Amino acid sequence: QVHLVESGGGLVKPGGSLRLSCAASGFTFSDYYMSWIRQAPGKGLEWVSYISGTGSSINYGASLKGRFTISRDNAKSSLVLQMNSLRAEDTAVYYCARHSGGYFEPFDFWGQGTLVTVSS
Amino acid sequence: EIVLTQSPGTLSLSPGERATLSCRASPIVSSNYLAWYQQKPGQAPRLLIYGASSRATGIPDRFSGTGSRTDFTLTITRLEPEDFAVYYCQQYSSAPLTFGGGTKVEI
Protein backbone atom coordinates (compact mmCIF):
# COMPACT_ATOMS: atom_id res chain seq x y z
CA GLN A 1 0.00 0.00 0.00
CA VAL A 2 1.03 3.62 -0.52
CA HIS A 3 3.10 5.00 2.31
CA LEU A 4 4.61 8.47 2.70
CA VAL A 5 6.82 9.28 5.67
CA GLU A 6 8.22 12.75 6.27
CA SER A 7 11.27 13.51 8.37
CA GLY A 8 13.68 16.35 9.08
CA GLY A 9 11.45 18.75 10.97
CA GLY A 10 12.50 20.45 14.17
CA LEU A 11 13.35 23.74 15.86
CA VAL A 12 15.43 26.22 13.87
CA LYS A 13 16.34 29.87 14.45
CA PRO A 14 15.12 32.62 12.12
CA GLY A 15 17.40 32.83 9.12
CA GLY A 16 18.38 29.19 9.44
CA SER A 17 17.93 26.26 7.08
CA LEU A 18 16.26 22.88 7.25
CA ARG A 19 16.00 19.94 4.87
CA LEU A 20 12.83 17.89 4.87
CA SER A 21 12.60 14.42 3.34
CA CYS A 22 9.69 12.24 2.35
CA ALA A 23 10.23 8.50 1.87
CA ALA A 24 7.70 6.94 -0.47
CA SER A 25 6.78 3.28 -0.87
CA GLY A 26 4.07 1.10 -2.32
CA PHE A 27 3.92 2.68 -5.77
CA THR A 28 6.12 3.55 -8.73
CA PHE A 29 7.42 6.86 -7.43
CA SER A 30 8.66 8.21 -10.74
CA ASP A 31 5.17 7.99 -12.28
CA TYR A 32 3.69 10.64 -10.01
CA TYR A 33 3.81 14.35 -9.40
CA MET A 34 4.51 15.11 -5.73
CA SER A 35 3.82 18.19 -3.63
CA TRP A 36 4.66 19.72 -0.28
CA ILE A 37 1.76 21.30 1.59
CA ARG A 38 1.99 23.05 4.94
CA GLN A 39 -0.36 23.94 7.76
CA ALA A 40 0.47 26.59 10.34
CA PRO A 41 -0.75 25.82 13.88
CA GLY A 42 -4.53 26.19 14.01
CA LYS A 43 -4.69 27.38 10.41
CA GLY A 44 -5.67 26.05 7.00
CA LEU A 45 -3.73 24.27 4.29
CA GLU A 46 -1.23 26.03 2.04
CA TRP A 47 0.33 24.41 -1.02
CA VAL A 48 4.10 24.96 -1.05
CA SER A 49 5.57 23.32 -4.14
CA TYR A 50 5.16 20.54 -6.69
CA ILE A 51 7.55 18.54 -8.83
CA SER A 52 6.79 16.33 -11.82
CA GLY A 53 7.69 12.66 -11.98
CA THR A 54 10.85 13.34 -13.95
CA GLY A 55 11.70 16.48 -12.02
CA SER A 56 11.51 18.60 -15.14
CA SER A 57 8.49 20.64 -14.04
CA ILE A 58 8.60 22.51 -10.74
CA ASN A 59 6.50 25.28 -9.24
CA TYR A 60 6.32 27.13 -5.94
CA GLY A 61 3.84 29.16 -3.97
CA ALA A 62 4.34 32.89 -4.34
CA SER A 63 5.00 33.45 -0.62
CA LEU A 64 8.21 31.41 -0.74
CA LYS A 65 10.08 33.90 -2.92
CA GLY A 66 12.95 31.62 -3.89
CA ARG A 67 13.78 30.46 -0.36
CA PHE A 68 12.63 26.84 -0.82
CA THR A 69 13.86 24.22 -3.30
CA ILE A 70 12.04 20.98 -4.11
CA SER A 71 13.81 17.97 -5.56
CA ARG A 72 13.41 14.24 -5.88
CA ASP A 73 15.53 11.11 -6.18
CA ASN A 74 13.49 8.54 -8.09
CA ALA A 75 16.07 5.81 -7.52
CA LYS A 76 15.52 6.18 -3.77
CA SER A 77 11.78 7.07 -3.97
CA SER A 78 12.56 10.19 -2.02
CA LEU A 79 11.20 13.74 -2.09
CA VAL A 80 13.14 16.62 -0.57
CA LEU A 81 12.35 20.21 0.42
CA GLN A 82 15.34 22.41 1.15
CA MET A 83 14.24 25.43 3.17
CA ASN A 84 16.53 28.45 3.57
CA SER A 85 16.22 31.87 5.21
CA LEU A 86 13.46 30.55 7.44
CA ARG A 87 11.03 32.95 9.09
CA ALA A 88 8.64 32.65 12.01
CA GLU A 89 5.75 32.48 9.55
CA ASP A 90 7.21 29.27 8.07
CA THR A 91 6.32 27.49 11.30
CA ALA A 92 3.95 24.71 10.28
CA VAL A 93 3.39 21.01 9.84
CA TYR A 94 4.77 20.10 6.44
CA TYR A 95 3.07 17.28 4.55
CA CYS A 96 4.24 15.52 1.43
CA ALA A 97 1.41 14.40 -0.81
CA ARG A 98 1.04 12.43 -4.00
CA HIS A 99 -0.91 13.79 -6.95
CA SER A 100 -3.12 10.92 -8.10
CA GLY A 101 -1.52 11.09 -11.52
CA GLY A 102 -0.13 14.04 -13.38
CA TYR A 103 -0.34 17.71 -12.59
CA PHE A 104 -4.08 18.11 -12.99
CA GLU A 105 -4.88 15.66 -10.26
CA PRO A 106 -5.89 15.91 -6.58
CA PHE A 107 -3.76 14.74 -3.66
CA ASP A 108 -4.78 11.14 -3.05
CA PHE A 109 -2.23 10.16 -0.40
CA TRP A 110 -0.62 12.24 2.33
CA GLY A 111 2.10 11.61 4.85
CA GLN A 112 1.51 12.28 8.54
CA GLY A 113 3.57 15.45 8.44
CA THR A 114 6.66 16.83 10.13
CA LEU A 115 6.62 19.90 12.34
CA VAL A 116 8.93 22.80 11.60
CA THR A 117 9.23 25.47 14.29
CA VAL A 118 11.11 28.68 13.52
CA SER A 119 11.88 30.52 16.72
CA SER A 120 14.77 32.16 18.51
CA GLU B 1 -4.46 32.93 -8.49
CA ILE B 2 -7.80 31.21 -7.92
CA VAL B 3 -9.23 32.22 -4.55
CA LEU B 4 -11.55 29.72 -2.87
CA THR B 5 -13.98 31.00 -0.24
CA GLN B 6 -15.67 28.43 1.97
CA SER B 7 -18.83 29.01 3.94
CA PRO B 8 -19.94 28.79 6.60
CA GLY B 9 -16.84 28.87 8.73
CA THR B 10 -18.49 26.61 11.28
CA LEU B 11 -21.53 24.37 10.98
CA SER B 12 -23.14 23.16 14.18
CA LEU B 13 -25.25 20.06 13.60
CA SER B 14 -26.31 16.79 15.19
CA PRO B 15 -25.70 13.21 14.08
CA GLY B 16 -28.24 12.20 11.46
CA GLU B 17 -28.64 15.72 10.11
CA ARG B 18 -27.67 16.91 6.64
CA ALA B 19 -24.61 19.11 6.13
CA THR B 20 -24.22 21.46 3.16
CA LEU B 21 -20.83 23.10 2.67
CA SER B 22 -20.10 25.75 0.06
CA CYS B 23 -16.95 26.60 -1.87
CA ARG B 24 -16.91 29.61 -4.18
CA ALA B 25 -14.10 30.23 -6.65
CA SER B 26 -12.80 33.41 -8.23
CA PRO B 27 -12.01 33.23 -11.08
CA ILE B 28 -13.49 30.03 -12.44
CA VAL B 29 -12.14 26.52 -11.86
CA SER B 30 -11.77 24.98 -15.28
CA SER B 31 -12.67 21.38 -16.10
CA ASN B 32 -14.19 20.99 -12.62
CA TYR B 33 -10.74 20.38 -11.17
CA LEU B 34 -12.05 20.77 -7.63
CA ALA B 35 -11.47 18.42 -4.70
CA TRP B 36 -12.76 18.13 -1.15
CA TYR B 37 -10.75 16.86 1.82
CA GLN B 38 -11.64 15.92 5.38
CA GLN B 39 -9.23 16.58 8.22
CA LYS B 40 -9.57 15.38 11.79
CA PRO B 41 -7.46 16.76 14.67
CA GLY B 42 -3.88 15.53 14.57
CA GLN B 43 -4.36 13.78 11.23
CA ALA B 44 -3.44 14.46 7.64
CA PRO B 45 -6.23 15.45 5.25
CA ARG B 46 -8.08 12.68 3.41
CA LEU B 47 -9.36 12.99 -0.14
CA LEU B 48 -13.15 12.70 -0.32
CA ILE B 49 -14.22 14.09 -3.70
CA TYR B 50 -12.35 14.92 -6.90
CA GLY B 51 -13.48 16.30 -10.23
CA ALA B 52 -16.15 18.17 -8.24
CA SER B 53 -18.40 15.11 -7.97
CA SER B 54 -16.47 11.82 -8.02
CA ARG B 55 -16.00 10.00 -4.73
CA ALA B 56 -12.51 8.82 -3.91
CA THR B 57 -11.86 5.16 -3.17
CA GLY B 58 -13.56 3.94 -0.01
CA ILE B 59 -15.58 7.09 0.61
CA PRO B 60 -19.16 6.36 1.75
CA ASP B 61 -22.01 7.41 -0.51
CA ARG B 62 -23.39 9.81 2.10
CA PHE B 63 -20.70 12.19 0.81
CA SER B 64 -21.51 13.87 -2.50
CA GLY B 65 -20.13 16.80 -4.45
CA THR B 66 -21.82 19.04 -6.98
CA GLY B 67 -21.15 22.25 -8.83
CA SER B 68 -19.09 23.77 -11.60
CA ARG B 69 -17.07 26.84 -12.57
CA THR B 70 -17.41 29.08 -9.50
CA ASP B 71 -19.88 27.35 -7.17
CA PHE B 72 -19.29 23.99 -5.56
CA THR B 73 -21.05 22.12 -2.77
CA LEU B 74 -20.17 19.19 -0.54
CA THR B 75 -23.19 17.46 0.99
CA ILE B 76 -23.15 14.91 3.78
CA THR B 77 -26.65 13.43 3.80
CA ARG B 78 -26.72 11.89 7.29
CA LEU B 79 -23.93 12.90 9.62
CA GLU B 80 -22.20 10.08 11.43
CA PRO B 81 -20.18 10.77 14.61
CA GLU B 82 -16.94 10.27 12.66
CA ASP B 83 -17.88 13.01 10.15
CA PHE B 84 -17.34 15.83 12.61
CA ALA B 85 -14.16 17.38 11.24
CA VAL B 86 -12.82 20.24 9.13
CA TYR B 87 -13.46 20.15 5.38
CA TYR B 88 -11.36 21.90 2.75
CA CYS B 89 -11.94 22.46 -0.93
CA GLN B 90 -8.95 22.69 -3.28
CA GLN B 91 -8.53 23.57 -6.94
CA TYR B 92 -5.97 21.88 -9.14
CA SER B 93 -6.77 23.57 -12.44
CA SER B 94 -3.97 26.13 -12.30
CA ALA B 95 -0.92 27.08 -10.29
CA PRO B 96 -0.65 28.15 -7.61
CA LEU B 97 -2.74 25.29 -6.29
CA THR B 98 -5.04 26.75 -3.67
CA PHE B 99 -7.23 25.64 -0.79
CA GLY B 100 -10.26 27.21 0.77
CA GLY B 101 -10.10 28.33 4.37
CA GLY B 102 -12.07 25.35 5.62
CA THR B 103 -15.45 24.62 7.20
CA LYS B 104 -15.57 23.06 10.63
CA VAL B 105 -18.49 20.68 11.14
CA GLU B 106 -19.10 20.41 14.86
CA ILE B 107 -21.65 18.83 17.13
Side-chain angles (χ1 to χ4, degrees):
Chain A
Q1 66 280 25
V2 173
H3 214 48
L4 300 171
V5 180
E6 302 93 338
S7 60
L11 176 63
V12 61
K13 289 181 168 54
S17 298
L18 213 53
R19 185 174 185 268
L20 305 184
S21 297
C22 172
S25 60
F27 64 103
T28 303
F29 185 66
S30 59
D31 285 348
Y32 292 84
Y33 273 63
M34 298 292 295
S35 274
W36 288 97
I37 295 145
R38 68 184 181 181
Q39 186 169 36
K43 302 297 184 183
L45 300 166
E46 179 187 11
W47 170 74
V48 171
S49 178
Y50 74 68
I51 185 169
S52 65
T54 61
S56 61
S57 178
I58 286 173
N59 208 333
Y60 299 95
S63 65
L64 302 179
K65 296 183 179 177
R67 298 182 295 120
F68 290 11
T69 303
I70 193 172
S71 62
R72 65 191 295 159
D73 183 338
N74 286 340
K76 296 181 179 179
S77 295
S78 176
L79 178 71
V80 171
L81 185 69
Q82 177 67 43
M83 305 186 296
N84 299 328
S85 303
L86 284 163
R87 306 166 180 168
E89 55 264 35
D90 296 317
T91 294
V93 173
Y94 286 73
Y95 296 101
C96 68
R98 188 184 84 164
H99 296 230
S100 63
Y103 167 67
F104 293 109
E105 299 284 356
F107 306 117
D108 62 349
F109 286 95
W110 299 61
Q112 280 307 298
T114 188
L115 176 62
V116 172
T117 303
V118 184
S119 174
S120 54
Chain B
E1 173 173 328
I2 297 177
V3 176
L4 300 178
T5 303
Q6 291 189 242
S7 62
T10 303
L11 203 49
S12 298
L13 295 168
S14 299
E17 289 192 301
R18 179 187 188 95
T20 303
L21 288 66
S22 172
C23 176
R24 290 198 164 173
S26 177
I28 71 166
V29 175
S30 60
S31 304
N32 284 348
Y33 286 156
L34 192 286
W36 290 92
Y37 300 85
Q38 176 194 67
Q39 187 179 33
K40 297 179 180 178
Q43 296 185 16
R46 176 175 71 144
L47 177 65
L48 297 176
I49 301 288
Y50 63 94
S53 60
S54 298
R55 272 187 300 277
T57 303
I59 301 303
D61 60 7
R62 65 180 181 273
F63 291 91
S64 63
T66 59
S68 64
R69 297 174 62 84
T70 61
D71 286 286
F72 300 89
T73 300
L74 173 70
T75 302
I76 312 170
T77 51
R78 293 171 309 279
L79 282 165
E80 298 286 343
E82 62 267 27
D83 299 336
F84 291 91
V86 180
Y87 293 84
Y88 295 95
C89 57
Q90 180 243 335
Q91 66 80 21
Y92 48 97
S93 67
S94 68
L97 308 179
T98 50
F99 290 88
T103 291
K104 181 179 182 180
V105 178
E106 65 175 22
I107 298 177

